[in-house]
Amino acid sequence: MGRDDMALDEIKVLNGIDEGCDVNWHDARPDFSSWSSDYRMEVSVAASLGHIHTFMHPQVIITDDPSREDAFFTRAARSKAMELGRSLIELPTNAAADLMWITRLDSASLSAWQTTYVDILIHAPLYSSGSLLRLLKSIEKADYFGFRRPHLTIELPAQTDTRTTEYLEDLVWPPIDESGAPHVSQVTLRRRIPRRRFNAEDASVRLIESFYPARPINSHVLVLSPQAELSRLYFHFLMYNLLENKYSISSRNSLELSNLMGISLELPSTHLNDSEVFRPPEIHRESADTREPPEAATPFLWQSPNSNAALYFGDKWIEFHSFLTSRVSLDPAKAPSRPKLVSEMYPAWMEYLLELMRARGYTLLYPNFLSSRDSIATLHHELYQPPEEFAKPKKAADAPPPTMDPEKETFDTDPNAHRPKRPETTPLRRTNLISILPRAATTQELFELPLLSYEGNEIDASGINSAARAFTNDYRRHVSNCKATSKQPNVQPMRADDLFCTAADVVTGRSLGDFQIPGTPRQSFQAAKPVIKDDSALRQNEFEAHLNRQAGQRAAQTNENAENKRTGEGDEKAGEKKGEEQRSIPNEKGEFPDLPKKGSVAEDEKRAEKLLDDAVKEEAKKEAPSEKPGEQGEGIIKQDVEEKAPARDRGW
C-alpha cells in the first residue's frame, strides 16, 4: 500500500521473504503511486482495507509501529478499522521480543483487543503512604505495548501525609502523548471524610461502590493492595490470560468460563485463614509432553478470593454488587453466627465474596511459575498495615517506659524473634512473557487445569457444583431465613436474588423486618392493627336526627305564622314576644333555637339575656327548687357547652 513503484517480488526479496514463507501477498498500491498526494494515498489505503474486509472478513488488523509507517497509512488504517468495527493492533518497536505471546491467541481473542477495558482500584489504609507510592511507581514503569492505559482509582484514607499529596499532584496518567494529541487524565482520587470507625459492612460497601462496569462483558477491575509491587510485564500477563480465557472460541461456551470469576496475579503463600502454608497442586499429565518436564508448574483454579492483586470480570463484579446489596440488608442480630473463614489480615469484603463463590462454584485462575524469580506481582510485608475495619485503636502512650536492671536483664537479641512471619519478597520478572508461560508451544484449556476447593483440597467440576448446591440451600435456610417450603427462584445473569427471599418467604419469628430484595416489590413488616369500633353509622344517625329536629322546628314555626296571619290573632309585638319565649325555652336535648334578630345589637343582646334568664329560672324551679337559680342556670349552660364541643370536633 506504499508509494514505492518497484515490483512485489523485489520487495519480498529485500525483506527476506522466500518461497518457504506461507504468506499470501497482495499488491494494493494505486496507479501512479509515486506521484499521488497524501490524500489520494489515504483514500487508496481505506479502499484496499474495504476490499479485504469484503472478501476475507478479518477479525483483527495488525500494523507496524506508527513511527515507522507513513502518516497517511496510519490515519487510514485507524479510521477504516473504526468504521468496520474491527480491532487494530499497532505493534511497538520491540514486538518481536516482547509480544510474541499474541501468536498464541485465536482470532476471537484478538478481536476483543480494542474493546477490552481495565480499571485499577487501590484502597489505601491508614499509614500506608510509602507502600502506595511504591505501587504507583511500578504501575507507571510497566510496559503497556501501545495499549490504552487503565483508568486509575485511588481510595485515600482520611489522613494523608505531605509526601503522598505532592506525588499525586505531579502524577500525570496516562503519560502525555509525544505526538501532541490532547491529554485526558485517567486518575480519580477519593478521600474519605473522617467519621466513626468503620465496621466490616461499611468498609465492604465502600470498596464495592468504587467501581461499577459500564460494559459488563468488556469492562473489568484490577484490585491492588498497597503492599503489592508489579512487574514491568504485569500487563502482558494480564491481557494474555484475559483474552485467552475470557474471549477465545474454546472458552466462550465452556462451563469452566461461566464459573471463572477472575485472574490473580500473585500466588498466595498461605490459606485464607492465614494459619496454614499453601502449596500449589501438581499437574498430572495423561500423556507425555516432551516440551516440558513432568514437574513443570501449571496454573490452577482455586475457589478463593484475592485482594492483593487480582482482576475480576465485569459481569461477576455486578453479581457481587447485587449479592452485597442484599447481604448487608440482613439483620445480623437475627441471623445465626457463622464461623469466620477469612483472616482479619485481609479486607472484610473477602468474607462476603467467599460466600458468593461457594454458592456459585466460582473460582479464580492462579499463576504457578517454574521459578520463584518469575513473579508478576510481589508483596512487601515490612510496611504492612491491617485493614481499617480490623485495626485496633492505638492507645495513648501515657505510661512511662519500663525500667531495666542491667544486672538482672539481658541485652542479647534473638534473631529468630525478629524475623518476619511471612515469606520474603519474591523478585519480579524482567524478561519477556513467552518464556515463562507453561507449555510454551501450545495453549491449555481450563478444564485441564487442577481445581481446588476453598479449603485447598483437589476436587472435580461435579464435586464443586454439588458443594455449591448444598451451600446454597443451607445459606437460604440459615442466613437468609427462608422457609423450608419456599421455592428458590431461577438464577438470573449478574443477579444474586435467588440466594435470598422476600418477606413472604421469611420464617415467622425470625423475620428480618423491613428486609427488601433488589428488583422485588417492597414488602415491609406490619404489626397487627388494634381493633377499633366503627362509629361512623352512629354518627351518621345522630347527624340525621339533628337535621330532622331543625326541619321540624322550622315547619312548626312556619305553620304558626301562617295561622296567626290568617286569623289575625294578636298584634305583631305580642306574637314576636310569644315566639321569643317559646324559642328561648330549651328543648329536651338542651339545645336553644336561634334568637330573632330585630332592632339594634344592644337591644338584641339585652332581650336574649333576659329571655335566657327567665328560661333558666323556670327550668330550675321544675328540677331543683331548693337550689339557687343562678347556680343551676350556670350548670345548664356549662353542660350545654360541653355537649356541643365534641360535636364540633367531629365536624358537625
Side-chain angles (χ1 to χ4, degrees):
M1 298 182 183
R3 291 182 182 274
D4 297 326
D5 57 356
M6 65 177 59
L8 185 60
D9 292 337
E10 296 180 5
I11 297 177
K12 293 170 62 177
V13 171
L14 291 176
N15 287 274
I17 306 300
D18 54 13
E19 298 297 334
C21 181
D22 190 14
V23 175
N24 295 325
W25 294 81
H26 300 271
D27 193 349
R29 292 172 293 182
D31 52 354
F32 308 106
S33 59
S34 301
W35 298 278
S36 298
S37 64
D38 288 348
Y39 176 75
R40 187 173 187 268
M41 294 300 300
E42 187 174 342
V43 172
S44 173
V45 172
S48 301
L49 292 176
H51 288 301
I52 295 175
H53 180 265
T54 301
F55 286 94
M56 299 181 58
H57 303 287
Q59 300 302 305
V60 62
I61 301 173
I62 303 177
T63 64
D64 202 356
D65 189 352
S67 62
R68 302 175 59 182
E69 290 286 0
D70 293 325
F72 67 83
F73 176 81
T74 301
R75 291 194 302 267
R78 291 176 177 175
S79 61
K80 196 62 178 181
M82 183 178 298
E83 177 186 343
L84 299 176
R86 293 292 179 261
S87 293
L88 175 65
I89 302 178
E90 297 176 342
L91 300 177
T93 305
N94 56 347
D98 293 342
L99 284 185
M100 189 59 66
W101 51 268
I102 70 172
T103 61
R104 300 178 59 178
L105 301 176
D106 58 16
S107 60
S109 298
L110 294 176
S111 65
W113 183 280
Q114 215 153 7
T115 59
T116 302
Y117 296 85
V118 175
D119 283 47
I120 296 179
L121 178 59
I122 303 174
H123 181 78
L126 289 171
Y127 317 113
S128 61
S129 299
S131 301
L132 177 62
L133 298 185
R134 179 179 53 207
L135 173 61
L136 293 177
K137 291 178 181 179
S138 66
I139 294 176
E140 287 187 282
K141 295 178 181 179
D143 179 24
Y144 296 91
F145 49 89
F147 199 86
R148 72 172 67 88
R149 301 300 199 276
H151 184 275
L152 187 59
T153 302
I154 305 175
E155 290 275 351
L156 296 174
Q159 301 176 3
T160 306
D161 59 10
T162 306
R163 184 183 177 190
T164 303
T165 304
E166 293 176 352
Y167 183 86
L168 294 176
E169 288 179 357
D170 298 334
L171 178 62
V172 179
W173 184 260
I176 298 177
D177 193 350
E178 297 178 357
S179 62
H183 180 268
V184 179
S185 177
Q186 295 291 329
V187 180
T188 300
L189 299 181
R190 295 180 178 178
R191 185 171 180 178
R192 297 195 302 271
I193 297 177
R195 299 187 303 166
R196 57 180 176 83
R197 184 170 177 264
F198 275 4
N199 55 24
E201 291 184 356
D202 295 338
S204 302
V205 169
R206 190 175 186 89
L207 179 83
I208 303 306
E209 289 177 344
S210 301
F211 170 78
Y212 197 85
R215 304 172 181 85
I217 305 302
N218 298 321
S219 297
H220 316 286
V221 57
L222 175 61
V223 180
L224 296 176
S225 168
Q227 278 73 39
E229 183 183 4
L230 302 178
S231 167
R232 188 185 70 88
L233 301 176
Y234 92 92
F235 207 71
H236 291 243
F237 177 84
L238 188 66
M239 291 302 299
Y240 168 76
N241 284 278
L242 177 60
L243 296 175
E244 170 64 23
N245 297 299
K246 181 67 175 177
Y247 300 103
S248 64
I249 297 176
S250 59
S251 300
R252 282 184 175 179
N253 300 321
S254 64
L255 178 62
E256 288 75 12
L257 175 61
S258 61
N259 292 338
L260 185 63
M261 192 169 194
I263 302 168
S264 174
L265 300 184
E266 64 108 14
L267 179 64
S269 57
T270 60
H271 286 264
L272 291 175
N273 55 14
D274 199 52
S275 60
E276 302 178 10
V277 178
F278 175 75
R279 293 180 175 82
E282 296 180 358
I283 185 67
H284 303 286
R285 294 184 173 84
E286 298 180 357
S287 59
D289 192 343
T290 58
R291 290 180 293 269
E292 291 181 352
E295 65 276 6
T298 303
F300 59 94
L301 302 173
W302 189 13
Q303 195 178 41
S304 172
N306 188 287
S307 63
N308 294 325
L311 179 130
Y312 293 94
F313 299 150
D315 53 345
K316 298 299 189 294
W317 190 267
I318 293 179
E319 185 175 1
F320 183 37
H321 190 283
S322 171
F323 172 82
L324 191 62
T325 302
S326 301
R327 182 64 173 87
V328 298
S329 300
L330 300 178
D331 189 354
K334 297 182 180 180
S337 60
R338 300 175 66 87
K340 185 173 177 56
L341 302 178
V342 181
S343 171
E344 292 187 354
M345 298 189 67
Y346 301 106
W349 60 269
M350 286 186 59
E351 189 78 35
Y352 297 116
L353 184 55
L354 179 61
E355 293 180 359
L356 177 63
M357 296 180 69
R358 293 181 62 188
R360 291 287 193 256
Y362 290 160
T363 58
L364 285 183
L365 178 65
Y366 281 86
N368 188 13
F369 300 115
L370 295 175
S371 172
S372 60
R373 303 182 62 84
D374 294 335
S375 298
I376 296 297
T378 186
L379 297 181
H380 296 267
H381 307 289
E382 62 274 9
L383 298 178
Y384 169 78
Q385 293 293 335
E388 188 174 352
E389 59 270 23
F390 297 134
K392 298 180 180 180
K394 294 186 177 181
K395 299 180 180 180
D398 297 333
T403 58
M404 300 182 62
D405 188 359
E407 297 181 357
K408 298 180 179 180
E409 300 291 340
T410 176
F411 293 90
D412 295 336
T413 302
D414 183 9
N416 297 324
H418 298 275
R419 288 177 180 174
K421 296 181 179 180
R422 291 180 171 269
E424 297 180 358
T425 302
T426 57
L428 296 172
R429 183 70 181 183
R430 303 295 180 184
T431 58
N432 59 67
L433 181 66
I434 192 68
S435 61
I436 64 175
L437 294 178
R439 296 194 177 188
T442 60
T443 58
Q444 194 167 13
E445 305 296 341
L446 289 176
F447 66 87
E448 299 177 342
L449 302 179
L451 179 60
L452 303 182
S453 65
Y454 75 98
E455 297 174 333
N457 302 323
E458 290 198 39
I459 191 174
D460 56 6
S462 60
I464 203 168
N465 291 332
S466 300
R469 288 191 295 267
F471 179 81
T472 299
N473 296 332
D474 178 76
Y475 194 86
R476 283 176 51 85
R477 184 71 180 90
H478 296 95
V479 178
S480 301
N481 258 351
C482 298
K483 296 179 180 178
T485 57
S486 63
K487 184 179 179 181
Q488 181 180 358
N490 296 329
V491 179
Q492 300 295 330
M494 297 182 289
R495 302 290 301 177
D497 299 342
D498 60 293
L499 298 178
F500 304 89
C501 51
T502 60
D505 294 332
V506 175
V507 178
T508 306
R510 293 190 299 166
S511 171
L512 297 178
D514 197 22
F515 172 67
Q516 178 187 3
I517 302 296
T520 61
R522 187 174 184 84
Q523 302 179 9
S524 59
F525 176 79
Q526 296 181 354
K529 296 182 178 180
V531 179
I532 301 176
K533 185 178 180 180
D534 188 6
D535 61 342
S536 58
L538 177 62
R539 288 186 291 169
Q540 181 66 21
N541 294 336
E542 292 179 357
F543 183 63
E544 292 177 356
H546 172 70
L547 296 179
N548 293 335
R549 285 194 300 271
Q550 288 185 345
Q553 293 171 1
R554 294 193 186 96
Q557 182 63 33
T558 302
N559 295 335
E560 182 181 357
N561 294 338
E563 183 67 21
N564 291 338
K565 184 177 181 181
R566 187 176 61 83
T567 58
E569 295 179 357
D571 55 5
E572 183 178 357
K573 183 177 180 179
E576 289 179 359
K577 182 177 181 181
K578 183 178 180 181
E580 290 170 358
E581 292 176 354
Q582 291 178 353
R583 287 193 294 270
S584 300
I585 298 176
N587 53 25
E588 58 184 2
K589 294 295 185 178
E591 300 171 346
F592 291 86
D594 297 333
L595 295 175
K597 298 180 180 179
K598 185 175 179 63
S600 64
V601 177
E603 292 176 353
D604 290 345
E605 290 179 352
K606 268 185 175 182
R607 189 184 300 109
E609 191 177 87
K610 183 178 182 304
L611 293 176
L612 184 60
D613 291 341
D614 294 340
V616 169
K617 293 177 182 179
E618 192 71 20
E619 191 69 21
K621 290 179 181 179
K622 295 179 182 179
E623 296 181 0
S626 60
E627 296 181 359
K628 296 182 180 181
E631 296 175 356
Q632 180 65 17
E634 293 174 0
I636 294 175
I637 295 173
K638 183 177 181 181
Q639 181 181 0
D640 178 69
V641 174
E642 291 177 352
E643 290 184 358
K644 288 180 179 292
R648 288 193 298 269
D649 294 341
R650 291 195 295 266
W652 291 8

